[in-house]
Amino acid sequence: MTQFSDLQLSEPLLRALAAEGYESPTPIQARAIPSLLEGKDLLGIAQTGTGKTAAFALPILQRLAASPERAQRGTCRALILSPTRELAAQIAESFRVYGKFMKLSRAVVFGGVSLGKQIDILRGGVDILVATPGRLVDLIERRALSLAKVEIFVLDEVDQMLDLGFIHAIRKITGMLPETRQNLFFSATMPKEISGLAHALLTDPVKVEVTPVATTAERVNQCVIHVDPANKVKLLAELLKDNNMTRTLVFTRTKHGADKVMKQLSAAGFTAAAIHGNKSQNNRERALAGFKAGKILVLVATDIAARGIDVESVSHVVNYDLPHVPESYVHRIGRTARAGAEGSAIAFCTPEERPLLRDIEKTIRAQVPVTEHALGLKGVQQLAPSFGWNPMGKDKPKKPHHRGQNPNRNHGAGQEQKQGKPQGQRPAAGQQAPKRAGGGSWMSEIGKRQA
Ligand code: AMP
């Protein structure tokens, strides 16, 4: 297996990685770092959770430190664009952590906070600048920053940037960059519009593609509970009594929905917080810090607000409302099972949401196993999968299991099933989901009911 020391990384970086407890590079790191250190352009098809931030941050730090240049006043040497403030803050934090034994300056700028301080910081010049596109353009127009000295340019989560309408800002920004520079381009998906943009920006790029949509979903133990809309909150409160749900991220479709669920959970005695675009930056940061520290058990979020939330050991993701874009389901459940860990995802599905579930199953090319619950709808069977039945099988889907979820396929794979988690396969009668030692898990309750 490749080690960090095989990647020609400098000693201060190796020391920082060791201090972080990283033992070996993730696939995107192993494949991207050597080319990036040589100064090549990169097209990365990867989503959060793959270790992509370190894949670009490490070589950037090393290249900047290796050159005798220093940031001139009102300029930056590496520019990283991120779609959301949360992700921008997260990326800047990664640069701090990985670069802690180096003497490089960095700053992060995004909207929603005062311009004055950001202008002051940029005046002196910074080596590494992480920014959201709108605020960056604002600062450039106020002459607080020039992009004329950018040596390395990173566009992160491009699909999300386009979804958020940042295309004009991106074009404006790229138009101001110097001709000679290194370009890095990351997107979880690569539809035509995005590959066109990549083609225009990159010169002879190295292409690295990791964990396509379907395989990310495979690491997560998923289940769906069919439920009447009126029972969703009660069901969630009931599930949360399970001690295994130690850090749960709940997704709602709307900001209003997030607030409502948060209030109802709080009224039911759970420590919960909501984050979405209408909350102040302070408010969001407080909620996130509480969640990270384990003081807040449940964080209720909308898709946009949850982008870039990098909280380790999220035990469960609950799709309280199913997303309208199937890829969002994959992004959501990817908040658990970070960097190779396992996690659980529970989806609630009302009768109206069934077409959305079907789209999701098509996208992940697998069925989400149905789990019954006393508060759920009874007798809803798995939907016929549209990715095809086994023509020879007896009503068996072609690909009914996810890797790591079929106990028979797990042996020797180093992926032991964790007790008390929803499993990826609907348990057959008499072969129920594993019971926890205490027997108090809602899964074991379900198991008993189904037996
Ligand atoms: P990212 O995909 O950049 O959002 O990273 C996902 C998570 O994986 C972050 O919490 C990182 O701190 C963590 N991570 C990144 N690289 C490694 C590694 N080589 N070993 C262990 N954890 C890592």
Side-chain angles (χ1 to χ4, degrees), residues 4 22 24-26 29 48-53 98 310 312 338-339:
F4 280 116
Y22 292 6
S24 53
T26 65
Q29 291 161 4
T48 54
T50 55
K52 73 178 159 69
T53 315
Y98 306 139
D310 179 20
E312 277 175 32
R338 309 282 286 170

Side-chain angles (χ1 to χ4, degrees), residues 4 17 20-29 46-56 58 87 90-91 94 97-98 156-157 308-313 334-335 338-340:
F4 280 116
L17 291 169
E20 275 305 286
Y22 292 6
E23 285 170 6
S24 53
T26 65
I28 193 168
Q29 291 161 4
Q47 54 203 43
T48 54
T50 55
K52 73 178 159 69
T53 315
F56 66 75
L58 296 169
L87 182 62
Q90 196 70 57
I91 294 171
S94 298
V97 169
Y98 306 139
D156 197 15
E157 309 225 337
I309 293 182
D310 179 20
V311 178
E312 277 175 32
S313 49
R335 317 315 309 186
R338 309 282 286 170

Side-chain angles (χ1 to χ4, degrees), residues 364-398:
I364 63 172
R365 295 198 298 276
Q367 287 177 305
V368 181
V370 175
T371 291
E372 288 205 352
H373 191 280
L375 291 169
L377 293 167
K378 301 282 166 319
V380 182
Q381 291 308 307
Q382 263 171 348
L383 303 172
S386 30
F387 51 84
W389 294 96
N390 179 348
M392 302 304 288
K394 290 193 180 72
D395 274 3
K396 275 197 184 139
K398 232 182 202 170

Side-chain angles (χ1 to χ4, degrees), residues 239-250:
L239 298 184
L240 284 168
K241 289 181 185 163
D242 178 359
N243 294 337
N244 287 318
M245 296 183 78
T246 50
R247 195 170 281 160
T248 302
L249 192 53
V250 175

